[in-house]
Amino acid sequence: MAKGKKVITPYLYLLPTIVLMCILLIIPIVMVISYSFYDNVIINKNPVFVGLKNYATVLTDPTFLVAIKNTLLFVLISIVAHFLIGMLFAMLLNTRYLGITAKGIFRVIYALPWMFTASVIAIVWRMMLNPNGVLNFLMMNAGIISEKVEWLASRDVALSAVTVINIWSGYPFYMISILAGLQGISMDLYEASALDGANAVQTFFRITIPQLKPILVSLLMLDFVWTLQQFALIWMTTGGGPVNATETISTYIYKQGFSKYQYSMASAGAVILLIICTIIGIFYVRQQKAGD
């Protein structure tokens, strides 16, 4: 009996968390997956099982195809920019040529975008990108543009503008993580490479990058999932417009469910997004286990 009690005790401690995860996570996911196989659930008392019809409809919907293209551009450009800017600022903050006070000031300044909520970021950037905002004012006075640009209302530049906002708000996560990794690299490695005659570029690619590889892989995978699911920032700046110019998978799912009340279509889109994120999550877990 004592042995059985020892086996059961850890699970009793975990029981509240397991119950909470089932209520808030497992059950909703199962419900959404089941909704995706029925026709017009929730608003229909007797929904009809339609199998994969909703998935076929979603995957052939021109708006969804536009959303996929916009999402891929939004995600890939954001990830690359996050990595490059985060690496640059992390290396600047890790340099020995800056004093402690200067490093402290720059760390606060560079990390500020990450401290704001999505609503604050959206409001600030909407004001800046307004036709009468500060960006147009500065660019017109500098002679870069000759007339005011509708940054968030033009089909030509709206996606680029939203991507820039996302880059600005997301790079501090990379910067802080990479900076922590840089500070964990032994200086002996750099001293040995200097004695071997390696230049700065060779040292960067043969010592810094390999030492940071576990961190960088984790950052890229996490950022891919987070950016893929980005909704609040896009919704509060453009709402997926103008004319689907900034429509992403997340905004498409939201509109299907809460604007058109097509909950089955929304569920099918959500399951597709879940599958993509799950695949990335599996690679992330495997990478973490390999690192251990």
Side-chain angles (χ1 to χ4, degrees):
M1 290 294 292
K3 186 177 180 180
K5 187 176 181 181
K6 288 182 179 180
V7 174
I8 297 173
T9 300
Y11 295 99
L12 292 176
Y13 285 113
L14 290 172
L15 186 61
T17 302
I18 293 172
V19 172
L20 194 63
M21 287 184 65
C22 287
I23 295 174
L24 299 180
L25 185 65
I26 307 287
I27 293 176
I29 289 175
V30 173
M31 290 177 63
V32 169
I33 293 174
S34 65
Y35 287 166
S36 68
F37 295 106
Y38 287 85
D39 180 33
N40 213 11
V41 292
I42 298 179
I43 61 174
N44 188 349
K45 291 184 178 180
N46 300 302
V48 179
F49 181 82
V50 294
L52 299 176
K53 182 180 177 181
N54 291 323
Y55 291 93
T57 304
V58 168
L59 292 172
T60 55
D61 185 356
T63 304
F64 185 73
L65 298 178
V66 170
I68 292 176
K69 184 192 74 172
N70 291 341
T71 302
L72 288 174
L73 288 172
F74 179 73
V75 170
L76 294 177
I77 294 173
S78 294
I79 290 175
V80 172
H82 284 160
F83 169 73
L84 294 176
I85 298 173
M87 177 66 77
L88 175 62
F89 286 169
M91 294 190 70
L92 286 173
L93 293 175
N94 194 54
T95 182
R96 57 187 177 183
Y97 298 109
L98 286 177
I100 296 176
T101 304
K103 285 183 179 180
I105 294 172
F106 284 124
R107 283 181 185 179
V108 173
I109 294 173
Y110 291 155
L112 274 177
W114 204 34
M115 300 177 187
F116 297 134
T117 62
S119 57
V120 173
I121 292 171
I123 292 170
V124 170
W125 277 91
R126 284 185 66 176
M127 293 173 63
M128 291 175 59
L129 298 178
N130 187 280
N132 297 316
V134 65
L135 185 61
N136 277 334
F137 174 78
L138 293 174
M139 293 182 73
M140 289 184 70
N141 282 314
I144 299 174
I145 57 175
S146 57
E147 57 183 11
K148 296 178 180 177
V149 178
E150 297 273 358
W151 296 102
L152 297 175
S154 171
R155 293 193 64 187
D156 297 327
V157 296
L159 183 60
S160 299
V162 173
T163 304
V164 168
I165 299 172
N166 186 66
I167 291 169
W168 179 83
S169 63
Y171 81 82
F173 175 65
Y174 274 74
M175 181 192 72
I176 294 170
S177 301
I178 293 174
L179 180 59
L182 288 172
Q183 293 177 344
I185 300 176
S186 174
M187 292 302 297
D188 294 340
L189 296 174
Y190 292 109
E191 291 173 0
S193 67
L195 291 173
D196 290 337
N199 58 36
V201 176
Q202 291 172 328
T203 300
F204 177 76
F205 284 104
R206 295 183 182 180
I207 295 180
T208 304
I209 293 297
Q211 291 293 314
L212 291 175
K213 184 179 177 181
I215 295 175
L216 296 178
V217 173
S218 298
L219 286 174
L220 292 170
M221 289 185 179
L222 288 173
D223 193 28
F224 184 88
V225 173
W226 291 342
T227 310
L228 190 69
Q229 298 177 4
Q230 179 64 266
F231 169 78
L233 189 64
I234 298 173
W235 188 255
M236 288 186 286
T237 51
T238 64
V243 197
N244 301 326
T246 60
E247 190 80 276
T248 61
I249 297 176
S250 297
T251 58
Y252 174 85
I253 294 170
Y254 181 86
K255 288 180 180 178
Q256 288 294 325
F258 298 101
S259 296
K260 300 179 180 179
Y261 304 105
Q262 297 291 328
Y263 294 105
S264 297
M265 296 281 286
S267 298
V271 172
I272 293 171
L273 185 61
L274 174 65
I275 292 171
I276 297 172
C277 293
T278 301
I279 293 171
I280 301 299
I282 291 171
F283 280 110
Y284 173 73
V285 172
R286 287 185 176 181
Q287 186 273 330
Q288 291 286 25
K289 288 184 177 180
D292 296 337

